[in-house]
Each structure stands twice: as structure tokens, then as C-alpha cells.
């Protein structure tokens, strides 16, 4: 396994020297998978396109979840009137009898 890691490190360094940072990122992610115990065959087949590194300062539960951002100019709708103004809960029970 160390030979595979060494080969990936050389490939990553060659990509960095050629300013191909996307390839270097793929090699780095494959190295991390190998160090984590994945089989070399599985690493070659792994889809790493959706993996994102966690940002410093944004750690904790739920920080990897997307945040919805409303479209520009969107305003939330008005809250509906519950039509309870001037009524008590006691008088509503007596009407039903």
C-alpha cells in the first residue's frame, strides 16, 4: 500500500508543478482514502467529486448541511390572521352545547 501512496504523491507533485491543482486535489483525496484503510482498487473507482473539506471555524453539528438562501428581492409572506381577536376559549366551548 505504501508503494501506491508514494506513486500518488509523485503524481500529485507532478500535477502541482504543472499547475494542475484539480489533479493534485484528486491525488490528495485518494492518498487520504488509502491511509484510511481503503483498498487500492476501491480508491481508483471512488467518486470524489462531492467531497468538500470542512472550513475552519465552521465546525460542529449540522455545519456540513446546505443553507437555503432566498432569491434576491424575496420577502416572506404575511402571517395569517388567526381570527381569535376578542374571543375567549371559554365562550367557544359553551356555543357547542
Amino acid at each position: 500500500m505504501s508503494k501506491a501512496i508514494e506513486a500518488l504523491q509523485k503524481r500529485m507533485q507532478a500535477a502541482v508543478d504543472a499547475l494542475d491543482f484539480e489533479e493534485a486535489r484528486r491525488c490528495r483525496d485518494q492518498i487520504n482514502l488509502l491511509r484510511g484503510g481503503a483498498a487500492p482498487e476501491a480508491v481508483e473507482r471512488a467518486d470524489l467529486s462531492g467531497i468538500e473539506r470542512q472550513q475552519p471555524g465552521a465546525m460542529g453539528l449540522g455545519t456540513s448541511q446546505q443553507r437555503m438562501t432566498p432569491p434576491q428581492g424575496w420577502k416572506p409572506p404575511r402571517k395569517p390572521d388567526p381570527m381569535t381577536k376578542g374571543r375567549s376559549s371559554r365562550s367557544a366551548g359553551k356555543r357547542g352545547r
Side-chain angles (χ1 to χ4, degrees):
M1 185 183 312
S2 63
K3 290 181 181 182
I5 291 175
E6 289 176 21
L8 281 169
Q9 285 175 337
K10 288 178 183 177
R11 203 167 101 193
M12 181 174 67
Q13 187 59 45
V16 168
D17 293 340
L19 301 177
D20 185 5
F21 299 113
E22 291 296 318
E23 178 63 25
R25 180 184 59 85
R26 278 190 289 278
C27 292
R28 179 202 61 206
D29 292 341
Q30 288 177 348
I31 290 169
N32 287 337
L33 285 174
L34 285 172
R35 287 182 178 160
E41 301 83 31
V43 170
E44 289 297 323
R45 292 188 315 253
D47 179 23
L48 303 172
S49 61
I51 295 178
E52 293 181 14
R53 290 194 166 285
Q54 194 168 23
Q55 298 298 317
M59 298 179 156
L61 293 175
T63 56
S64 62
Q65 302 296 319
Q66 286 184 341
R67 291 191 176 93
M68 189 205 72
T69 53
Q72 191 173 11
W74 181 82
K75 294 179 184 174
R78 292 182 51 194
K79 291 185 178 182
D81 182 17
M83 297 177 50
T84 58
K85 193 185 270 187
R87 298 178 184 241
S88 72
S89 59
R90 291 185 178 175
S91 64
K94 290 180 181 177
R95 270 191 221 155
R97 290 185 185 172

